[in-house]
Amino acid sequence: MLTAEVFNWTGHVLRFPRTKFREALRRPEAQHTGVYVLIGEQDGSPLAYIGEAENIAERMRGHITNKDWWDSAVCISTTGDLLHKAHVKYLESRLVEIARQIGSMPLENGNTPTRSSLSEAAQANMESFLETLGIVLPAIRVDMFLNKARSAPKTSDVVASPAEPSEERFILQTPKHDLYAEAILRDGEWIVQAGARARSNWEGSTDAKTHYANLHRELVTNGILVMQNGFATFQQDYAFSSPSAAGAIINGRSTNGRKAWKHATTGQRYADWEKDQITAEATS
């Protein structure tokens, strides 16, 4: 089980596997009013469900018997049980809206729930709560509310000047399959550029638990990757957490991105370029 809190934030997040539901639902926070997210797979495809309850544990016990597809859950409440019914109905509605807008995880929810009537001040408080929640959830490996697509800068915003030190360009080529991709390392994100040519299908391990296989499928489902001329082409810039994650999606199989990506200017493998950066930093 994982718990997450932030200094000066009233929220409390609990993530647990289905196998630990007894221990999780005995926790005090699980008795509070809040929202919850069920995450799993159905018929080989990812699936999630977002709900709300005045007592999360009571509602969750029902889902143990009537929903057999989920394998982990996230309970979102507050340390002092400060949320009431209108708050959590608002949060439920907004989380469904955000998840559907991003589209990385299909939802079992039917229609988007109607937002509850809250005062302007209460709505502002809930939006602030959601903003912090958007930081906390990725930290416990829940990315379905995180938009990783990146918009290209407008032509009017582009200035002809040398790249900043924090922005480097890398290239991945797999001649055997005519794959080609460019990525920018910016602020710690590995951003594959629109137009990159990736394998049209996942050719690596088909184990249902293979994260990159699931991610490849999700990117196709969400329209980030579109089939064109025998390739899966990136329709917009997309941020990955590592060069290996990006490389795996491009090649359609597990890839050591530290060796596969090469610096666009020096031709160095990423691992060698990174080593030079560390050396230069130590001697500066």
Side-chain angles (χ1 to χ4, degrees), residues 44-58:
S45 297
L47 188 65
Y49 178 82
I50 300 170
E52 55 81 20
E54 292 183 276
N55 185 307
I56 297 175
E58 287 184 5

Side-chain angles (χ1 to χ4, degrees), residues 51-83:
E52 55 81 20
E54 292 183 276
N55 185 307
I56 297 175
E58 287 184 5
R59 184 66 55 82
M60 289 290 298
R61 289 188 182 96
H63 292 323
I64 294 293
T65 57
N66 62 28
K67 294 184 187 296
D68 61 3
W69 53 264
W70 64 274
D71 52 38
S72 67
V74 180
C75 298
I76 303 162
S77 60
T78 53
T79 53
D81 200 13
L82 303 175
L83 299 174

Side-chain angles (χ1 to χ4, degrees), residues 25 34 59 92 101 109 126 139 144 182 186 188 205 210 239 248-249 259 261 264:
L25 298 186
R59 184 66 55 82
E92 176 196 35
Q101 180 182 12
N109 299 71
M126 291 300 96
M144 60 183 285
E182 295 187 10
R186 178 191 299 150
S205 170
T210 301
I249 300 306
K259 295 181 178 180
W261 290 93

